[in-house]
Amino acid sequence: MLRSQRNARRQIQVLIGIWSLEVNGEERPIAVPGSWNEQYQDLCYEKGPFTYKTTFYVPEELSQKHIRLYFAAVNTDCDVFLNGEKVGENHIGYLPFEVDVTGKVKPGENELRVVVENRLKVGGFPSKVPDSGTHTVGFFGSFPPANFDFFPYGGIIRPVLVEFSNHARILDIWVDTSESEPEKKLGKVKVKIEVSEEAVGQEMTIKLGEAEKKVRTSDRFVEEEFILENARFWYLEDPYLYPLKVELERDEYTLDIGIRTISWDEKKLYLNGKPVFLKGFGKHEEFPVLGQGTFYPLMIKDFNLLKWINANSFRTSHYPYSEEWLDLADRLGILVIDEAPHVGITRYHYNPETQKIAEDNIRRMIDRDKNHPSVIMWSVANEPESNHPDAEGFFKALYETAKEMDRTRPVVMVSMMDAPDKRTRDVALKYFDIVCVNRYYGWYIYQGRIEEGLQALEKDIEELYARHRKPIFVTEFGADAIAGIHYDPPQMFSEEYQAELVEKTIRLLLKKDYIIGTHVWAFADFKTPQNVRRPILNHKGVFTRDRQPKLVAHVLRRLWSDGD
Ligand SMILES: O=C(O)[C@H]1O[C@@H](Oc2ccc([N+](=O)[O-])cc2)[C@H](O)[C@@H](O)[C@@H]1O
């Protein structure tokens, strides 16, 4: 599926603004995109179902077009009604879905209603803490009982679009540059295009930069390859994008693509054949009042801060972010580890039905993000209960699902397991291309003892490498610091403690030649469910929730300025 695009052949209406929300039979205004939890205090902990309502207007000449509704994301379960008729439903947050409403849209006024429910589910998504507890002990007893460490926001969190195109149209585009040869500046760009039945037999033009190919479609798929001598590759220092434009007789679609290769061996990750070390963060897409609503100024600010601090990457923990994050990463030269909305997976997920849902989520994430040069890795889950015997088959299947979709990028699972204590032995990590682990030495264990924590970390990491013989990516480590709290000698929760722990951990890990990256948890403070560990926010941010630097931000900026 291609996302809706405004161009010379396609029109879109963007249904953002003030909708109405029906709560217990009463209507109130509600902003879309956004989460209801922060717009109304009395809805902070409500799960719905609530009915969102808006109207849109369609001129006569557009009403006969191919028309689809594109929901960039709704959290979480929803039913979609157009003029009173149910036209679609969706059951996972953070991923787009389309509803084909061709022939169902009236000239003039149309009413769109979306019934949204955001219920935590044991063994489902979003994951609820099981009554018997969970592998992530920290979440037991939290309110709301989310089996993860961020606030479970509900609502239409991303834009809703109505797209009008011709019936003979482009349905999907796949771009593969993995066989390019960067050292020879030889770009090999394979392009596969899917068109609708109505477009079969039409002439198609494919333009890549200055190059152009004309073909006649003989079935629904077209495959072509562009060979570019002296190609300008997509590098972090020069994230060059080529416009790829596909034209049919009465449809067109443009993608900005980057020519680059990703590879890996036993010790390193390579971008265009050169080793790359990942410096950056796990983060969240959330903000005061907005909840998890798409908010463009925040994206610009965050990219500006990533550049300021000399980071080169981030992980979309713990769900795919709004698509514009990836557009910006492509354009600005920031690498992205794209994570499925699979956080808080427990033994209650390990059954065929849930596995099928998870596989589908992974397919949908890869389908959405496959053409972004910035995306260099797929993460199938964060901190699942992967020391449980049933995790093995479940995650092996998720790995294979991702690989069937995309052989060009490494596929990983982020584990909190496989530490020296045998009870944490991970049964699934062995299937993945790169060993990704979250480690909190000097925080949850060895509290207040940075040096002892570092020794334990070193032993842990050496054992991990000896067992797996694969590159290791430390995807999380860090400490809470409440902005403005200072203490000498450094105490937990002071800015000094966070700065010292983060700096010493990075310096230690830099000495191991099989470590491919260190991502600090987290980019900025963020809101969590209520529990004794969290004074309203998780305070592990390097920046405050409103994006001001803590002491550690200045330390990282210097540490990361060496260009490696
Ligand atoms: O805790 C954190 O700050 C972060 O760490 C990770 O979750 C943990 C929770 C509890 C424990 N523990 O009790 O040992 C270890 C890890 C998560 O990936 C992340 O979402 C969370 O915000």
Side-chain angles (χ1 to χ4, degrees):
M1 172 177 61
L2 288 175
R3 81 207 242 212
S4 299
Q5 180 171 92
R6 186 187 286 128
N7 62 38
R9 299 292 196 169
R10 295 183 178 208
Q11 292 200 34
I12 59 176
Q13 288 187 14
V14 186
L15 305 185
I16 62 174
I18 308 297
W19 292 37
S20 92
L21 188 72
E22 193 188 301
V23 180
N24 303 328
E26 257 175 67
E27 293 204 4
R28 10 171 132 174
I30 186 92
V32 172
S35 299
W36 63 63
N37 315 71
E38 296 248 357
Q39 293 179 52
Y40 289 101
Q41 301 90 298
D42 66 325
L43 302 185
C44 186
Y45 299 106
E46 294 302 319
K47 314 176 233 330
F50 298 131
T51 301
Y52 279 80
K53 203 165 74 183
T54 193
T55 46
F56 61 98
Y57 297 86
V58 177
E60 177 93 51
E61 66 275 16
L62 287 184
S63 65
Q64 296 312 309
K65 293 268 188 189
H66 183 278
I67 308 176
R68 60 173 181 149
L69 306 174
Y70 185 87
F71 291 86
V74 177
N75 281 28
T76 301
D77 293 284
C78 68
D79 289 324
V80 180
F81 298 86
L82 180 65
N83 301 322
E85 180 196 345
K86 181 171 167 186
V87 290
E89 58 185 82
N90 187 60
H91 300 282
I92 187 75
Y94 310 106
L95 284 168
F97 61 97
E98 65 178 357
V99 182
D100 186 339
V101 290
T102 307
K104 293 179 178 159
V105 173
K106 300 182 291 189
E109 183 176 317
N110 288 268
E111 185 208 61
L112 181 62
R113 274 193 298 131
V114 188
V115 182
V116 186
E117 185 171 24
N118 187 43
R119 194 168 292 279
L120 298 163
K121 303 167 195 125
V122 173
F125 304 108
S127 178
K128 183 181 181 179
V129 180
D131 292 337
S132 53
T134 173
H135 61 294
T136 33
V137 285
F139 309 140
F140 193 58
S142 286
F143 181 76
N147 196 30
F148 46 83
D149 192 29
F150 59 91
F151 197 86
Y153 286 115
I156 301 182
I157 62 166
R158 296 184 190 164
V160 181
L161 311 173
V162 193
E163 185 195 56
F164 304 88
S165 59
N166 286 291
H167 296 268
R169 50 198 282 274
I170 300 153
L171 295 185
D172 210 346
I173 302 173
W174 291 260
V175 177
D176 176 0
T177 66
S178 66
E179 276 159 35
S180 299
E181 296 173 49
E183 56 306 329
K184 293 187 195 152
K185 296 197 175 176
L186 186 64
K188 296 186 183 173
V189 183
K190 287 193 202 158
V191 183
K192 182 172 148 189
I193 298 147
E194 182 185 4
V195 299
S196 64
E197 205 58 65
E198 293 88 337
V200 175
Q202 285 198 1
E203 177 152 299
M204 178 188 281
T205 310
I206 313 169
K207 292 181 188 156
L208 179 63
E210 304 291 288
E212 176 173 321
K213 288 182 192 282
K214 277 198 191 305
V215 291
R216 189 159 290 279
T217 59
S218 57
D219 62 39
R220 293 198 22 240
F221 292 89
V222 171
E223 285 185 58
E224 285 293 326
E225 184 171 19
F226 289 86
I227 307 283
L228 276 75
E229 315 247 336
N230 217 2
R232 193 159 157 196
F233 276 68
W234 189 88
Y235 282 101
L236 294 183
E237 315 75 55
D238 178 27
Y240 186 75
L241 298 172
Y242 284 87
L244 172 73
K245 187 170 182 187
V246 179
E247 291 170 340
L248 287 172
E249 284 165 18
R250 287 184 303 137
D251 190 21
E252 65 173 56
Y253 203 93
T254 305
L255 281 176
D256 286 329
I257 68 148
I259 301 177
R260 58 108 183 92
T261 65
I262 296 292
S263 52
W264 61 100
D265 59 20
E266 209 186 84
K267 283 191 174 170
K268 299 242 176 284
L269 176 72
Y270 304 88
L271 173 64
N272 296 328
K274 290 195 209 140
V276 60
F277 189 87
L278 302 171
K279 302 180 285 189
F281 306 90
K283 61 195 311 302
H284 273 292
E285 185 175 7
E286 68 99 55
F287 205 65
V289 187
L290 311 171
Q292 287 186 317
T294 300
F295 187 53
Y296 303 124
L298 185 66
M299 293 182 199
I300 303 297
K301 178 72 175 178
D302 283 5
F303 276 100
N304 149 31
L305 292 176
L306 285 167
K307 291 284 180 188
W308 175 85
I309 207 167
N310 297 310
N312 63 9
S313 52
F314 67 90
R315 174 169 59 119
T316 70
S317 40
H318 299 306
Y319 40 82
Y321 293 178
S322 295
E323 288 151 272
E324 293 84 352
W325 285 96
L326 304 181
D327 299 338
L328 287 165
D330 291 347
R331 176 167 168 188
L332 298 172
I334 292 284
L335 303 171
V336 177
I337 292 82
D338 204 353
E339 189 156 281
H342 295 158
V343 59
I345 289 185
T346 61
R347 63 189 66 191
Y348 303 101
H349 291 76
Y350 302 148
N351 57 67
E353 301 85 82
T354 310
Q355 185 178 309
K356 216 181 135 279
I357 293 167
E359 287 172 11
D360 197 43
N361 296 338
I362 285 170
R363 279 192 209 101
R364 286 171 58 178
M365 169 179 75
I366 297 179
D367 179 50
R368 190 191 78 160
D369 297 339
K370 57 189 183 281
N371 296 323
H372 287 282
S374 58
V375 174
I376 54 153
M377 213 181 275
W378 306 112
S379 163
V380 304
N382 181 71
E383 296 195 345
E385 190 178 8
S386 50
N387 60 340
H388 188 279
D390 296 345
E392 182 167 354
F394 185 91
F395 286 103
K396 181 170 186 277
L398 297 196
Y399 176 81
E400 284 164 1
T401 299
K403 283 286 165 180
E404 274 161 29
M405 294 284 290
D406 181 8
R407 302 224 143 261
T408 72
R409 294 174 176 96
V411 174
V412 304
M413 173 191 88
V414 173
S415 177
M416 67 180 304
M417 301 291 178
D418 229 33
D421 179 345
K422 293 267 186 306
R423 285 170 302 178
T424 68
R425 199 55 20 106
D426 194 301
V427 299
L429 204 47
K430 61 180 182 236
Y431 292 113
F432 292 87
D433 296 318
I434 288 164
V435 173
C436 292
V437 288
N438 296 345
R439 293 294 189 257
Y440 284 95
Y441 292 102
W443 190 254
Y444 295 116
I445 52 172
Y446 297 97
Q447 303 189 11
R449 286 164 294 161
I450 293 175
E451 296 301 333
E452 283 168 70
L454 289 168
Q455 281 171 25
L457 172 66
E458 185 162 23
K459 175 172 183 287
D460 179 345
I461 293 293
E462 282 174 356
E463 288 182 19
L464 263 177
Y465 185 69
R467 264 200 308 283
H468 294 279
R469 297 271 158 201
K470 285 179 185 173
I472 295 177
F473 178 11
V474 180
T475 35
E476 286 184 23
F477 63 97
D480 287 75
I482 298 183
I485 299 278
H486 292 279
Y487 222 99
D488 184 41
Q491 303 276 306
M492 292 176 79
F493 295 104
S494 69
E495 294 196 28
E496 284 79 3
Y497 191 90
Q498 180 191 39
E500 184 176 325
L501 182 142
V502 166
E503 177 169 11
K504 288 188 168 165
T505 302
I506 292 177
R507 287 195 189 280
L508 168 71
L509 295 173
L510 274 175
K511 291 187 201 142
K512 312 284 171 191
D513 63 353
Y514 48 80
I515 302 260
I516 62 150
T518 46
H519 273 187
V520 181
W521 187 258
F523 179 78
D525 294 348
F526 58 90
K527 184 166 157 168
T528 71
Q530 302 179 66
N531 67 67
V532 292
R533 295 176 186 225
R534 301 283 181 259
I536 303 181
L537 309 179
N538 180 314
H539 286 271
K540 293 190 188 71
V542 163
F543 297 96
T544 59
R545 202 181 186 201
D546 64 352
R547 272 54 181 174
Q548 296 309 319
K550 297 182 194 170
L551 179 60
V552 67
H554 300 283
V555 170
L556 284 169
R557 184 170 192 240
R558 230 174 299 119
L559 197 60
W560 284 342
S561 65
D562 51 18
D564 83 321

